[in-house]
PDB file of all heavy atoms in Angstrom:
ATOM      1  N   ASN A 409      32.526 -31.138 -24.398  1.00  0.00           N
ATOM      2  CA  ASN A 409      32.358 -30.986 -22.969  1.00  0.00           C
ATOM      3  C   ASN A 409      31.078 -31.654 -22.392  1.00  0.00           C
ATOM      4  O   ASN A 409      31.160 -32.376 -21.409  1.00  0.00           O
ATOM      5  CB  ASN A 409      32.437 -29.409 -22.633  1.00  0.00           C
ATOM      6  CG  ASN A 409      32.621 -29.204 -21.123  1.00  0.00           C
ATOM      7  OD1 ASN A 409      31.708 -29.128 -20.307  1.00  0.00           O
ATOM      8  ND2 ASN A 409      33.885 -29.138 -20.730  1.00  0.00           N
ATOM      9  N   ASN A 413      31.247 -34.991 -20.181  1.00  0.00           N
ATOM     10  CA  ASN A 413      30.655 -34.967 -18.832  1.00  0.00           C
ATOM     11  C   ASN A 413      29.627 -36.032 -18.715  1.00  0.00           C
ATOM     12  O   ASN A 413      29.600 -36.767 -17.625  1.00  0.00           O
ATOM     13  CB  ASN A 413      30.009 -33.557 -18.527  1.00  0.00           C
ATOM     14  CG  ASN A 413      31.017 -32.514 -18.095  1.00  0.00           C
ATOM     15  OD1 ASN A 413      32.111 -32.817 -17.816  1.00  0.00           O
ATOM     16  ND2 ASN A 413      30.554 -31.299 -18.000  1.00  0.00           N
ATOM     17  N   ALA A 414      28.741 -36.112 -19.601  1.00  0.00           N
ATOM     18  CA  ALA A 414      27.682 -37.110 -19.500  1.00  0.00           C
ATOM     19  C   ALA A 414      28.186 -38.531 -19.343  1.00  0.00           C
ATOM     20  O   ALA A 414      27.658 -39.331 -18.542  1.00  0.00           O
ATOM     21  CB  ALA A 414      26.808 -37.094 -20.790  1.00  0.00           C
ATOM     22  N   ARG A 416      31.337 -39.268 -18.259  1.00  0.00           N
ATOM     23  CA  ARG A 416      32.089 -39.397 -16.974  1.00  0.00           C
ATOM     24  C   ARG A 416      31.240 -39.453 -15.814  1.00  0.00           C
ATOM     25  O   ARG A 416      31.610 -40.023 -14.780  1.00  0.00           O
ATOM     26  CB  ARG A 416      33.037 -38.113 -16.787  1.00  0.00           C
ATOM     27  CG  ARG A 416      34.187 -38.134 -17.730  1.00  0.00           C
ATOM     28  CD  ARG A 416      34.885 -36.770 -17.780  1.00  0.00           C
ATOM     29  NE  ARG A 416      35.499 -36.424 -16.500  1.00  0.00           N
ATOM     30  CZ  ARG A 416      35.434 -35.261 -16.003  1.00  0.00           C
ATOM     31  NH1 ARG A 416      34.745 -34.257 -16.695  1.00  0.00           N
ATOM     32  NH2 ARG A 416      35.953 -34.936 -14.819  1.00  0.00           N
ATOM     33  N   TYR A 417      30.055 -38.749 -15.762  1.00  0.00           N
ATOM     34  CA  TYR A 417      29.253 -38.796 -14.619  1.00  0.00           C
ATOM     35  C   TYR A 417      28.125 -39.780 -14.643  1.00  0.00           C
ATOM     36  O   TYR A 417      27.140 -39.682 -14.031  1.00  0.00           O
ATOM     37  CB  TYR A 417      28.640 -37.356 -14.325  1.00  0.00           C
ATOM     38  CG  TYR A 417      29.897 -36.335 -14.116  1.00  0.00           C
ATOM     39  CD1 TYR A 417      30.016 -35.200 -14.848  1.00  0.00           C
ATOM     40  CD2 TYR A 417      30.733 -36.653 -13.128  1.00  0.00           C
ATOM     41  CE1 TYR A 417      31.030 -34.370 -14.574  1.00  0.00           C
ATOM     42  CE2 TYR A 417      31.896 -35.768 -12.858  1.00  0.00           C
ATOM     43  CZ  TYR A 417      31.925 -34.630 -13.613  1.00  0.00           C
ATOM     44  OH  TYR A 417      32.961 -33.735 -13.319  1.00  0.00           O
ATOM     45  N   ASP A 441      21.698 -37.975 -19.789  1.00  0.00           N
ATOM     46  CA  ASP A 441      22.373 -39.209 -19.250  1.00  0.00           C
ATOM     47  C   ASP A 441      21.559 -39.730 -18.121  1.00  0.00           C
ATOM     48  O   ASP A 441      20.606 -39.153 -17.640  1.00  0.00           O
ATOM     49  CB  ASP A 441      23.787 -38.694 -18.811  1.00  0.00           C
ATOM     50  CG  ASP A 441      23.704 -37.771 -17.665  1.00  0.00           C
ATOM     51  OD1 ASP A 441      23.060 -38.004 -16.654  1.00  0.00           O
ATOM     52  OD2 ASP A 441      24.366 -36.748 -17.777  1.00  0.00           O
ATOM     53  N   GLY A 445      23.339 -37.402 -11.589  1.00  0.00           N
ATOM     54  CA  GLY A 445      22.407 -36.189 -11.429  1.00  0.00           C
ATOM     55  C   GLY A 445      23.046 -35.028 -10.714  1.00  0.00           C
ATOM     56  O   GLY A 445      24.256 -35.008 -10.278  1.00  0.00           O
ATOM     57  N   ILE A 446      22.268 -33.938 -10.745  1.00  0.00           N
ATOM     58  CA  ILE A 446      22.796 -32.719  -9.970  1.00  0.00           C
ATOM     59  C   ILE A 446      21.838 -32.350  -8.872  1.00  0.00           C
ATOM     60  O   ILE A 446      20.647 -32.228  -9.067  1.00  0.00           O
ATOM     61  CB  ILE A 446      22.924 -31.494 -11.043  1.00  0.00           C
ATOM     62  CG1 ILE A 446      24.007 -31.926 -12.052  1.00  0.00           C
ATOM     63  CG2 ILE A 446      23.325 -30.233 -10.270  1.00  0.00           C
ATOM     64  CD1 ILE A 446      24.074 -30.879 -13.173  1.00  0.00           C
ATOM     65  N   ILE A 454      26.306 -24.432 -10.524  1.00  0.00           N
ATOM     66  CA  ILE A 454      26.920 -25.362 -11.508  1.00  0.00           C
ATOM     67  C   ILE A 454      27.676 -24.752 -12.654  1.00  0.00           C
ATOM     68  O   ILE A 454      28.704 -25.213 -13.204  1.00  0.00           O
ATOM     69  CB  ILE A 454      25.807 -26.512 -12.059  1.00  0.00           C
ATOM     70  CG1 ILE A 454      26.381 -27.851 -11.797  1.00  0.00           C
ATOM     71  CG2 ILE A 454      25.414 -26.271 -13.422  1.00  0.00           C
ATOM     72  CD1 ILE A 454      26.664 -28.420 -10.570  1.00  0.00           C
ATOM     73  N   TYR A 459      33.505 -24.564  -9.925  1.00  0.00           N
ATOM     74  CA  TYR A 459      32.538 -25.330  -9.068  1.00  0.00           C
ATOM     75  C   TYR A 459      32.474 -26.793  -9.484  1.00  0.00           C
ATOM     76  O   TYR A 459      32.246 -27.026 -10.661  1.00  0.00           O
ATOM     77  CB  TYR A 459      31.244 -24.565  -9.068  1.00  0.00           C
ATOM     78  CG  TYR A 459      30.294 -25.224  -8.013  1.00  0.00           C
ATOM     79  CD1 TYR A 459      30.346 -24.777  -6.661  1.00  0.00           C
ATOM     80  CD2 TYR A 459      29.532 -26.223  -8.311  1.00  0.00           C
ATOM     81  CE1 TYR A 459      29.719 -25.253  -5.741  1.00  0.00           C
ATOM     82  CE2 TYR A 459      28.685 -26.831  -7.321  1.00  0.00           C
ATOM     83  CZ  TYR A 459      28.758 -26.267  -6.032  1.00  0.00           C
ATOM     84  OH  TYR A 459      27.999 -26.828  -4.947  1.00  0.00           O
ATOM     85  N   ARG A 460      32.648 -27.676  -8.479  1.00  0.00           N
ATOM     86  CA  ARG A 460      32.397 -29.068  -8.703  1.00  0.00           C
ATOM     87  C   ARG A 460      31.483 -29.560  -7.591  1.00  0.00           C
ATOM     88  O   ARG A 460      31.754 -29.339  -6.475  1.00  0.00           O
ATOM     89  CB  ARG A 460      33.677 -29.830  -8.696  1.00  0.00           C
ATOM     90  CG  ARG A 460      34.694 -29.392  -9.769  1.00  0.00           C
ATOM     91  CD  ARG A 460      35.745 -30.457 -10.014  1.00  0.00           C
ATOM     92  NE  ARG A 460      35.108 -31.459 -10.725  1.00  0.00           N
ATOM     93  CZ  ARG A 460      35.555 -32.894 -10.458  1.00  0.00           C
ATOM     94  NH1 ARG A 460      36.526 -33.129  -9.631  1.00  0.00           N
ATOM     95  NH2 ARG A 460      34.961 -33.875 -11.174  1.00  0.00           N
ATOM     96  N   ALA A 461      30.473 -30.300  -7.968  1.00  0.00           N
ATOM     97  CA  ALA A 461      29.433 -30.809  -6.939  1.00  0.00           C
ATOM     98  C   ALA A 461      30.117 -32.002  -6.211  1.00  0.00           C
ATOM     99  O   ALA A 461      31.032 -32.637  -6.715  1.00  0.00           O
ATOM    100  CB  ALA A 461      28.240 -31.259  -7.614  1.00  0.00           C
ATOM    101  N   ALA A 464      30.037 -35.378  -7.842  1.00  0.00           N
ATOM    102  CA  ALA A 464      30.900 -35.426  -9.078  1.00  0.00           C
ATOM    103  C   ALA A 464      32.295 -35.743  -8.617  1.00  0.00           C
ATOM    104  O   ALA A 464      33.067 -36.542  -9.279  1.00  0.00           O
ATOM    105  CB  ALA A 464      30.823 -34.142  -9.839  1.00  0.00           C
ATOM    106  N   GLY A 471      39.099 -33.153 -12.654  1.00  0.00           N
ATOM    107  CA  GLY A 471      38.098 -32.093 -13.293  1.00  0.00           C
ATOM    108  C   GLY A 471      38.478 -30.846 -12.678  1.00  0.00           C
ATOM    109  O   GLY A 471      39.109 -30.713 -11.652  1.00  0.00           O
ATOM    110  N   ASN A 472      38.066 -29.731 -13.352  1.00  0.00           N
ATOM    111  CA  ASN A 472      38.494 -28.400 -12.820  1.00  0.00           C
ATOM    112  C   ASN A 472      37.287 -27.405 -12.601  1.00  0.00           C
ATOM    113  O   ASN A 472      37.445 -26.356 -12.078  1.00  0.00           O
ATOM    114  CB  ASN A 472      39.586 -27.751 -13.624  1.00  0.00           C
ATOM    115  CG  ASN A 472      39.180 -27.773 -15.156  1.00  0.00           C
ATOM    116  OD1 ASN A 472      38.024 -27.703 -15.446  1.00  0.00           O
ATOM    117  ND2 ASN A 472      40.111 -27.792 -16.087  1.00  0.00           N
ATOM    118  N   GLY A 473      36.126 -27.899 -13.069  1.00  0.00           N
ATOM    119  CA  GLY A 473      34.966 -27.048 -12.882  1.00  0.00           C
ATOM    120  C   GLY A 473      34.895 -25.860 -13.754  1.00  0.00           C
ATOM    121  O   GLY A 473      34.274 -24.814 -13.424  1.00  0.00           O
ATOM    122  N   LEU A 474      35.634 -25.876 -14.992  1.00  0.00           N
ATOM    123  CA  LEU A 474      35.692 -24.731 -15.826  1.00  0.00           C
ATOM    124  C   LEU A 474      34.884 -24.913 -17.090  1.00  0.00           C
ATOM    125  O   LEU A 474      34.444 -24.030 -17.749  1.00  0.00           O
ATOM    126  CB  LEU A 474      37.077 -24.417 -16.173  1.00  0.00           C
ATOM    127  CG  LEU A 474      38.027 -23.770 -15.040  1.00  0.00           C
ATOM    128  CD1 LEU A 474      39.506 -23.725 -15.490  1.00  0.00           C
ATOM    129  CD2 LEU A 474      37.448 -22.427 -14.605  1.00  0.00           C
ATOM    130  N   GLY A 475      34.695 -26.223 -17.435  1.00  0.00           N
ATOM    131  CA  GLY A 475      34.071 -26.547 -18.751  1.00  0.00           C
ATOM    132  C   GLY A 475      32.719 -25.886 -18.889  1.00  0.00           C
ATOM    133  O   GLY A 475      32.469 -25.259 -19.988  1.00  0.00           O
ATOM    134  N   LEU A 476      31.744 -26.101 -18.013  1.00  0.00           N
ATOM    135  CA  LEU A 476      30.475 -25.536 -18.160  1.00  0.00           C
ATOM    136  C   LEU A 476      30.440 -24.008 -18.154  1.00  0.00           C
ATOM    137  O   LEU A 476      29.595 -23.424 -18.861  1.00  0.00           O
ATOM    138  CB  LEU A 476      29.511 -26.089 -17.045  1.00  0.00           C
ATOM    139  CG  LEU A 476      29.132 -27.504 -17.063  1.00  0.00           C
ATOM    140  CD1 LEU A 476      28.161 -27.882 -15.956  1.00  0.00           C
ATOM    141  CD2 LEU A 476      28.515 -27.903 -18.538  1.00  0.00           C
ATOM    142  N   THR A 501      20.606 -36.402 -15.725  1.00  0.00           N
ATOM    143  CA  THR A 501      20.397 -35.045 -16.045  1.00  0.00           C
ATOM    144  C   THR A 501      20.394 -34.797 -17.673  1.00  0.00           C
ATOM    145  O   THR A 501      20.912 -35.634 -18.352  1.00  0.00           O
ATOM    146  CB  THR A 501      21.681 -34.155 -15.629  1.00  0.00           C
ATOM    147  OG1 THR A 501      22.094 -34.665 -14.343  1.00  0.00           O
ATOM    148  CG2 THR A 501      21.513 -32.625 -15.588  1.00  0.00           C
ATOM    149  N   PHE A 503      21.313 -31.872 -20.400  1.00  0.00           N
ATOM    150  CA  PHE A 503      21.840 -30.565 -20.705  1.00  0.00           C
ATOM    151  C   PHE A 503      21.252 -30.145 -22.033  1.00  0.00           C
ATOM    152  O   PHE A 503      21.234 -31.008 -22.992  1.00  0.00           O
ATOM    153  CB  PHE A 503      23.386 -30.560 -20.724  1.00  0.00           C
ATOM    154  CG  PHE A 503      23.927 -30.344 -19.332  1.00  0.00           C
ATOM    155  CD1 PHE A 503      24.130 -31.383 -18.570  1.00  0.00           C
ATOM    156  CD2 PHE A 503      24.278 -29.065 -18.897  1.00  0.00           C
ATOM    157  CE1 PHE A 503      24.681 -31.333 -17.242  1.00  0.00           C
ATOM    158  CE2 PHE A 503      24.819 -28.926 -17.717  1.00  0.00           C
ATOM    159  CZ  PHE A 503      25.036 -30.040 -16.806  1.00  0.00           C
TER     160      PHE A 503
HETATM  161  P1  ADP B 524      34.324 -30.685 -14.418  1.00  0.00           P
HETATM  162  O1  ADP B 524      33.493 -31.692 -15.124  1.00  0.00           O
HETATM  163  O2  ADP B 524      35.800 -30.746 -14.973  1.00  0.00           O
HETATM  164  O3  ADP B 524      34.179 -30.718 -12.977  1.00  0.00           O
HETATM  165  P2  ADP B 524      32.504 -28.801 -15.699  1.00  0.00           P
HETATM  166  O4  ADP B 524      32.489 -27.353 -15.633  1.00  0.00           O
HETATM  167  O5  ADP B 524      32.389 -29.527 -16.961  1.00  0.00           O
HETATM  168  O6  ADP B 524      33.777 -29.285 -14.837  1.00  0.00           O
HETATM  169  O7  ADP B 524      31.333 -29.226 -14.752  1.00  0.00           O
HETATM  170  C1  ADP B 524      31.044 -28.638 -13.470  1.00  0.00           C
HETATM  171  C2  ADP B 524      30.301 -29.499 -12.520  1.00  0.00           C
HETATM  172  O8  ADP B 524      28.902 -29.751 -13.067  1.00  0.00           O
HETATM  173  C3  ADP B 524      30.865 -30.829 -12.447  1.00  0.00           C
HETATM  174  O9  ADP B 524      31.939 -30.988 -11.581  1.00  0.00           O
HETATM  175  C4  ADP B 524      29.666 -31.637 -11.916  1.00  0.00           C
HETATM  176  O10 ADP B 524      29.455 -31.451 -10.583  1.00  0.00           O
HETATM  177  C5  ADP B 524      28.518 -30.978 -12.690  1.00  0.00           C
HETATM  178  N1  ADP B 524      28.177 -31.728 -13.908  1.00  0.00           N
HETATM  179  C6  ADP B 524      28.406 -31.433 -15.203  1.00  0.00           C
HETATM  180  N2  ADP B 524      27.838 -32.264 -16.016  1.00  0.00           N
HETATM  181  C7  ADP B 524      27.256 -33.190 -15.284  1.00  0.00           C
HETATM  182  C8  ADP B 524      26.384 -34.380 -15.542  1.00  0.00           C
HETATM  183  N3  ADP B 524      26.269 -34.696 -16.827  1.00  0.00           N
HETATM  184  N4  ADP B 524      25.886 -35.048 -14.518  1.00  0.00           N
HETATM  185  C9  ADP B 524      26.132 -34.594 -13.256  1.00  0.00           C
HETATM  186  N5  ADP B 524      26.798 -33.545 -12.958  1.00  0.00           N
HETATM  187  C10 ADP B 524      27.320 -32.783 -13.869  1.00  0.00           C
END
Side-chain angles (χ1 to χ4, degrees):
N409 193 268
N413 276 349
R416 284 167 68 222
Y417 297 124
D441 64 52
I446 295 172
I454 230 64
Y459 190 82
R460 301 199 71 213
N472 51 30
L474 290 172
L476 286 183
T501 319
F503 276 84

